[in-house]
Amino acid sequence: MIYFEHMAKFLARPLILVLIMSSFPITSFSAANVSTDSLIEESSLVAERALVHEFMSREDVRVEMTAQGVDPDEALSRINSLSDSEIQKIAGQIETMPAGEGVVGPIVGAIVTVFIILLITDLLCLTSFFNFTRCAR
């Protein structure tokens, strides 16, 4: 009888510990196949987020945002909170926007075009606009 009491005291603490630990819910992990499409989509989302962050960190963009009265750091924090579809839309607009297009380019192009047209018409003796041209006749 003393032997059983001694064994009961010896085994009581580990058994209580096992009982307590077994009462906690056990989370199970499962492995599943990952499709190539989901991996490509995930990597493209990461690339698009990087593109938007790179665009927002450019100095000319930050200067223009400050000129428009927008805090660049606040805009960047708001971009971080955008959903994946919104980031895809913005990244698509960044990639399709014309680079360096402004007012100066079309004006200079129009002036050069008018100059060339007047020069050709002067050389063909249709007009006499420039003093430095001679008629082809």
Side-chain angles (χ1 to χ4, degrees):
M1 192 65 148
I2 295 174
Y3 177 74
F4 288 116
E5 287 177 10
H6 181 63
M7 286 300 282
K9 287 181 184 178
F10 180 73
L11 292 176
R13 288 190 180 119
L15 289 174
I16 290 171
L17 184 62
V18 168
L19 181 65
I20 289 172
M21 290 184 69
S22 66
S23 66
F24 291 119
I26 298 174
T27 57
S28 62
F29 297 101
S30 62
N33 290 337
V34 179
S35 68
T36 305
D37 294 336
S38 65
L39 287 176
I40 291 173
E41 182 178 332
E42 183 178 327
S43 67
S44 68
L45 288 174
V46 170
E48 288 169 344
R49 280 197 184 272
L51 176 71
V52 172
H53 280 280
E54 179 184 324
F55 179 77
M56 293 299 291
S57 63
R58 286 181 18 198
E59 188 61 34
D60 57 337
V61 173
R62 294 179 72 83
V63 167
E64 186 63 30
M65 288 175 63
T66 305
Q68 296 291 330
V70 177
D71 182 24
D73 295 326
E74 182 181 338
L76 194 58
S77 68
R78 288 187 180 197
I79 285 176
N80 289 334
S81 66
L82 292 177
S83 69
D84 293 338
S85 62
E86 292 168 330
I87 288 291
Q88 285 176 334
K89 185 175 180 181
I90 291 173
Q93 289 176 352
I94 288 174
E95 291 176 353
T96 60
M97 293 173 82
E101 187 172 311
V103 177
V104 177
I107 291 174
V108 170
I111 291 172
V112 168
T113 304
V114 169
F115 174 77
I116 291 174
I117 290 172
L118 288 175
L119 183 66
I120 291 173
T121 57
D122 269 8
L123 291 174
L124 295 175
C125 300
L126 299 174
T127 61
S128 59
F129 191 78
F130 298 114
N131 296 344
F132 58 86
T133 60
R134 292 188 185 179
C135 187
R137 290 185 195 164

